[in-house]
Amino acid sequence: MSADGKGGQAGGDITPLRIGVAGLGTVGAGLVKLLRANESIVADRAGRPIVVTAVAARDRTRDRGIDLAGLTWHDDALALAHDPDIDVVVELIGGAEGIARRLVTAALQAGRPVVTANKALVAIHGAELAALAERAGVPLTFEAAVAGGIPAIKAVREGLAADRLVRVGGILNGTCNYIMTAMRESGRAFADVLAEAQALGYAEADPSTDVDGIDAAHKLAILAGLAFGRPVAFSSVHVEGIRAIDALDLTFARELGYRIKLLGLARRREDGIEARVHPCLVPERAPIAQVDGVFNAVVAEGAFVGRLMLEGRGAGEGPTATAVAADLIDIARGNAVPVWGRSTDGLTQVEALPRTAFNEEYYLRLNVHDRPGVIADVTAVLRDYGVSLRSMLQHGRAASDDPTVADAPSVPLVLVTHRTRESAMIEALARIAALPAVIGDPAMIRIEAG
């Protein structure tokens, strides 16, 4: 890269930025397509052409819908770290360990810039990799790791760099958002809608990373690290998925004036940082409640800027490839910022506050025998733990699914609390579940202002 900051442009001789792409799945193939289709646009904005010169993938015979003729093919992705004919390594393999981590580490150690879309890698090993990049004096960029085509990384780390951010997060997984939207609109059960999402290609054959909240937690850990100036230890992020959400909860939420969304939430508090992923009831008129289907939304709030929300497609070939290309344009131009927005000198991971430190309003749904005194028993337990009720709903009878109570009638009972400590809620729910009139485990969902 030239000293004039023009990314190799000197004396009219425009040197292309040569990239090697590891991983030719949906995003890798999409990146090749985008760079070729928008060749002149990219060159104009980068100040030089950006060309793919080498690739690495496992299967040479697979038809990816792109012409790979003339490109150097490496069966071993690690070879990209030392290929003399490339300037930047683009890692699109995925996964926090294995070949992806080894490739990124080797490329940075060799003094080669890296662009990655690997949210797990950055969330778990971001502090270590940032230190490697800083020592080598090369960029490590990952715009595509969070929310696909939404420029969330640049917005939080650079656009809001002058403000003190107090909150960041949002709807960070399109698969879960699609499932929750379809359940709400159709009244169908989770398993049915999940099968539909898999058939449409919105969910993987093994959907665990998405529906159990892990994917959203990776993205939240990154956003929290950027917002608060230091990486958040991924292992300390509290994570819940959407498997336990019942269609009945969506019905009650609507009656109460809410929608249920899987949210990632990170907050700066005086006593530390909250970082958590779980379903939330949000007011149906809140902007984030209107984000449906496979769309994502990133929310940030600062002392001066107030609250802002960015919405768009959070995954897929086009949006994610666009985010990767944006990082490549920055590198071609010589634009670079520290990975976490600050020098890595003395930079260590911070542990997120434990679940017991949360302080929220709560939605509780119980299935109870329809007999006198049940509500009094339940509210007595909540009173003992200092939990105050804001409202209550009780609907008609339904046959119990519990074989031990056969024909005994049961009813759903919904309680909404005022703000209270989650440590108190955990203890109270354990006692409520043990009451003779309560059937099965209570459902608890936190309530957010949106």
Side-chain angles (χ1 to χ4, degrees):
M1 200 166 289
S2 66
D4 64 2
K6 299 297 184 181
Q9 185 174 350
D13 179 20
I14 301 177
T15 304
L17 184 74
R18 305 166 300 171
I19 69 171
V21 179
L24 286 176
T26 299
V27 178
L31 177 63
V32 175
K33 293 176 187 175
L34 182 148
L35 291 176
R36 290 174 175 172
N38 291 352
E39 179 180 1
S40 61
I41 295 173
V42 170
D44 182 57
R45 293 176 180 173
R48 60 197 292 199
I50 297 177
V51 297
V52 178
T53 58
V55 295
R58 288 180 294 185
D59 185 359
R60 292 187 182 228
T61 64
R62 178 181 164 193
D63 181 6
R64 297 173 171 86
I66 52 176
D67 183 6
L68 299 175
L71 302 183
T72 301
W73 183 289
H74 293 289
D75 292 309
D76 181 2
L78 274 176
L80 292 173
H82 305 287
D83 186 332
D85 295 322
I86 67 172
D87 304 307
V88 180
V89 171
V90 178
E91 185 274 305
L92 302 175
I93 300 170
E97 307 299 338
I99 185 62
R101 183 182 180 187
R102 294 198 301 273
L103 171 60
V104 171
T105 299
L108 294 174
Q109 289 174 335
R112 187 151 293 176
V114 172
V115 176
T116 181
N118 192 335
K119 79 249 341 162
L121 181 69
V122 178
I124 296 173
H125 301 297
E128 165 197 332
L129 296 174
L132 283 177
E134 186 171 292
R135 284 197 296 270
V138 296
L140 167 63
T141 62
F142 46 91
E143 184 64 60
V146 177
I150 302 174
I153 302 300
K154 287 182 174 62
V156 172
R157 184 180 59 195
E158 296 154 57
L160 302 176
D163 204 354
R164 177 180 170 83
L165 298 186
V166 296
R167 182 174 184 261
V168 70
I171 296 172
L172 304 177
N173 184 272
T175 298
C176 288
N177 204 38
Y178 173 83
I179 291 172
M180 300 299 292
T181 301
M183 287 178 66
R184 185 188 77 237
E185 292 178 345
S186 69
R188 289 179 292 157
F190 169 80
D192 291 342
V193 177
L194 172 59
E196 176 184 89
Q198 290 170 318
L200 292 171
Y202 296 149
E204 302 289 342
D206 178 1
S208 301
T209 300
D210 289 323
V211 302
D212 292 334
I214 303 300
D215 176 80
H218 286 144
K219 297 168 185 175
L220 180 69
I222 295 170
L223 287 174
L226 297 172
F228 308 133
R230 59 192 307 178
V232 173
F234 177 73
S235 60
S236 68
V237 178
H238 177 72
V239 186
E240 299 173 24
I242 63 171
R243 292 183 193 267
I245 299 297
D246 192 284
L248 190 59
D249 295 317
L250 296 164
T251 299
F252 278 122
R254 182 185 297 114
E255 186 170 345
L256 291 164
Y258 293 95
R259 292 182 176 179
I260 300 178
K261 297 289 185 181
L262 181 76
L263 297 183
L265 301 167
R267 292 192 181 99
R268 188 200 300 264
R269 296 178 13 175
E270 290 185 1
D271 56 345
I273 292 172
E274 287 184 14
R276 47 201 174 95
V277 172
H278 50 67
C280 292
L281 270 72
V282 294
E284 58 187 359
R285 292 188 178 181
I288 203 164
Q290 308 303 315
V291 180
D292 282 338
V294 297
F295 280 71
N296 283 195
V298 174
V299 176
E301 184 176 344
F304 281 79
V305 76
R307 182 175 297 189
L308 59 86
M309 187 178 86
L310 303 173
E311 177 186 354
R313 293 190 177 275
E317 175 183 301
T320 310
T322 300
V324 173
D327 279 343
L328 290 169
I329 289 171
D330 275 345
I331 291 172
R333 281 284 184 186
N335 301 330
V337 295
V339 171
W340 298 106
R342 52 171 285 191
S343 169
T344 61
D345 291 343
L347 188 66
T348 57
Q349 288 187 331
V350 60
E351 295 280 331
L353 293 170
R355 174 187 177 189
T356 51
F358 301 166
N359 192 2
E360 301 294 332
E361 296 180 352
Y362 297 88
Y363 158 101
L364 307 178
R365 177 177 54 80
L366 316 175
N367 194 31
V368 300
H369 296 313
D370 190 13
R371 60 176 64 149
V374 172
I375 294 176
D377 291 342
V378 171
T379 56
V381 172
L382 294 173
R383 179 203 61 213
D384 290 346
Y385 287 93
V387 179
S388 173
L389 290 181
R390 178 156 62 86
S391 62
M392 181 178 67
L393 291 174
Q394 184 174 4
H395 283 191
R397 298 180 176 183
S400 173
D401 293 328
D402 188 340
T404 65
V405 295
D407 297 326
S410 66
V411 294
L413 175 65
V414 170
L415 308 169
V416 177
T417 79
H418 287 291
R419 187 172 294 276
T420 191
R421 295 173 296 112
E422 185 145 329
S423 56
M425 291 300 303
I426 293 170
E427 294 180 13
L429 284 184
R431 274 190 55 190
I432 289 171
L435 292 174
V438 175
I439 304 166
D441 293 328
M444 181 183 82
I445 306 176
R446 299 161 191 88
I447 300 175
E448 282 291 324

